[in-house]
Amino acid sequence: MKQLVCIVVLALVAPNLIAAECDTKGLIVEKSFLQSVHDCTEYLQIPKERLGQYMANEFPPDDETKCLLFCVGVDLGWWNNTCGLQVPAIVSYFQPVQGDKQYEKRTKECLERRVGAIDSPNSCCQAYETFQCYFQEFGNLVTCPQYVRSTKLQATQAALDCLVMLRYPEKLLKVYASGKVEDSPETRCLYHCIDLRTGLYTQNGISLPRFFVRDAAYNDLRYLSKETKACRDRIRQSGCDKCSEVYNTHTECLSGLGEKGYTSGIITAAAKIALTNLCVGCTADHTPSTNYLPYHPTKCPMKPPSATKGYPAPTKPPCSVCSNRHEPAKPAYSSPAASVQPAVALSYGGRKPSPTCSKASGTGQVYNLSYPGYKSRMSSCSRCGGRGH
């Protein structure tokens, strides 16, 4: 019966797969806001009864909820504990109301008023107030899953997987590991494999919005410009093969946008790992060591030995978790999340974290705004804010 069900399902799914009507999954992560909320309640061990409140889009200003939204921000990639808000990632989870032309202005003013006035290095407070500004001023919360960018470590793993799956020789791996990622048929197909595996290339070609999210720290709106789209479409319609389409789009359309040398950098890192893996043996030496006497198993006694004379036999108290007995939750219980001291935002120095969101006169904001004319009053974060053009 199970085999019959599998055959029927395969018969229904196979035509769509053959027709290439669905994207390659690879290492792509698409996640909804509410799914992340659910996951973070598990990570932080927040009581289950609060989940219903969050699912109804109610986020009261208590410490537990603030750290929940900090967790959600990290999980979905719109909060970075070093540089704060990652605008391209958070805007994908909000849809402005049609006809509203003031949502960006209101959001900017809200961030200045609520986040910029926090005189505390409390990351949970900063992430919470940032979310509230977008939730109240930017637009409606999007419920469907959105693309979550891969971390540099995950992208490097994708590049390593591609090097292995494409079976590139050791000689070429050494070239890549030396930092030379030059144009060749192998390099072009490696670019295609990496973008495909990380979700940057779909059945519709290079996804510029996903590249915009990938380089969220740079907030480079040129990814979404008409000129970049026209360049991508021109190459896609040129009739070249997919490997050349991806590589040419990188070199002709995306060069100078976002993080400089992102793909070539992860290729170099992945090639070094691949070379290291080639030197690791796959089989262990099972030769018995002469330093140990051979082991001869003995028969186990049918009954446990009796307790020592003069002492009562030890008894094990019943385990309420395993004995199928329901024990009501204790009213005084609080989740570990409520007692954990929030992480310190690294953009502040010399001040101790505070469990509350105190206000001050506009100091220490840790967000990056998508407004060309706006200049943050905090010092720029060189690791996250600088463009490598």
Side-chain angles (χ1 to χ4, degrees):
M1 182 63 182
K2 289 183 178 179
Q3 289 181 340
L4 178 60
V5 172
C6 291
I7 293 173
V8 172
V9 171
L10 182 60
L12 295 174
V13 173
N16 290 336
L17 294 176
I18 296 173
E21 294 181 0
C22 56
D23 291 327
T24 302
K25 292 303 180 184
L27 301 178
I28 304 170
V29 175
E30 291 182 330
K31 203 169 190 178
S32 69
F33 176 82
L34 293 180
Q35 179 63 54
S36 182
V37 168
H38 173 274
D39 293 351
C40 281
T41 58
E42 294 288 337
Y43 298 149
L44 303 181
Q45 300 183 50
I46 294 175
K48 292 288 186 182
E49 53 267 23
R50 299 214 64 182
L51 184 58
Q53 182 183 29
Y54 298 144
M55 290 298 177
N57 291 335
E58 297 178 8
F59 303 98
D62 56 79
D63 291 343
E64 196 169 57
T65 302
K66 291 173 183 177
C67 287
L68 169 80
L69 288 173
F70 170 83
C71 172
V72 170
V74 174
D75 185 42
L76 298 180
W78 56 259
W79 186 263
N80 180 293
N81 205 35
T82 303
C83 300
L85 175 62
Q86 308 292 289
V87 174
I90 197 171
V91 296
S92 64
Y93 285 93
F94 291 92
Q95 178 63 47
V97 177
Q98 187 175 7
D100 183 3
K101 298 180 180 180
Q102 299 296 318
Y103 65 93
E104 288 185 327
K105 180 176 181 293
R106 291 197 311 271
T107 305
K108 171 189 172 182
E109 293 173 349
C110 179
L111 290 170
E112 291 176 334
R113 182 176 65 254
R114 298 181 63 166
V115 183
I118 296 177
D119 186 25
S120 166
N122 190 324
S123 296
C124 292
C125 287
Q126 295 164 358
Y128 175 82
E129 296 295 346
T130 297
F131 169 79
Q132 288 292 358
C133 284
Y134 277 86
F135 187 58
Q136 296 173 13
E137 307 294 348
F138 194 89
N140 296 320
L141 191 62
V142 175
T143 57
C144 56
Q146 300 296 311
Y147 177 75
V148 179
R149 64 186 178 91
S150 301
T151 65
K152 188 67 72 71
L153 186 62
Q154 291 168 332
T156 302
Q157 180 62 55
L160 176 60
D161 294 341
C162 287
L163 287 172
V164 174
M165 290 186 289
L166 296 176
R167 296 178 291 120
Y168 284 174
E170 183 178 354
K171 182 178 180 180
L172 182 56
L173 294 180
K174 290 180 178 179
V175 174
Y176 288 153
S178 69
K180 296 179 181 179
V181 184
E182 300 175 345
D183 186 9
S184 67
E186 292 81 6
T187 300
R188 293 186 173 211
C189 286
L190 182 56
Y191 267 67
H192 170 261
C193 179
I194 293 171
D195 282 2
L196 194 63
R197 193 156 177 76
T198 55
L200 298 173
Y201 183 83
T202 69
Q203 60 178 340
N204 297 318
I206 288 286
S207 174
L208 296 176
R210 289 186 174 184
F211 269 90
F212 179 55
V213 172
R214 186 200 72 174
D215 290 346
Y218 294 82
N219 193 23
D220 197 335
L221 294 171
R222 292 176 297 172
Y223 275 122
L224 308 179
S225 68
K226 293 181 179 179
E227 293 77 11
T228 305
K229 292 179 182 178
C231 180
R232 177 206 55 187
D233 294 342
R234 173 180 57 80
I235 294 176
R236 181 165 176 77
Q237 296 167 7
S238 66
C240 58
D241 60 89
K242 291 183 178 180
C243 294
S244 296
E245 176 196 343
V246 171
Y247 186 81
N248 291 341
T249 303
H250 272 264
T251 56
E252 297 180 26
C253 307
L254 306 182
S255 179
L257 306 187
E259 181 176 342
K260 182 180 180 180
Y262 182 96
T263 304
S264 60
I266 63 173
I267 289 175
T268 296
K272 292 178 180 179
I273 298 173
L275 288 172
T276 302
N277 291 344
L278 289 177
C279 300
V280 178
C282 297
T283 57
D285 185 6
H286 296 289
T287 305
S289 173
T290 57
N291 297 328
Y292 298 93
L293 295 175
Y295 172 70
H296 298 288
T298 57
K299 292 184 178 180
C300 296
M302 297 300 295
K303 295 182 180 181
S306 59
T308 306
K309 189 175 181 180
Y311 294 91
T315 58
K316 184 178 180 180
C319 178
S320 60
V321 177
C322 305
S323 59
N324 297 324
R325 292 187 299 176
H326 173 71
E327 292 186 0
K330 298 179 181 179
Y333 171 78
S334 60
S335 71
S339 60
V340 173
Q341 189 74 9
V344 177
L346 301 183
S347 55
Y348 294 85
R351 288 184 287 180
K352 295 182 179 180
S354 169
T356 59
C357 298
S358 58
K359 300 289 181 179
S361 57
T363 58
Q365 59 265 42
V366 291
Y367 50 86
N368 307 319
L369 294 175
S370 56
Y371 309 99
Y374 176 78
K375 294 183 179 179
S376 174
R377 284 171 287 176
M378 66 167 284
S379 59
S380 61
C381 180
S382 59
R383 283 192 295 165
C384 302
R387 287 188 174 92
H389 304 323

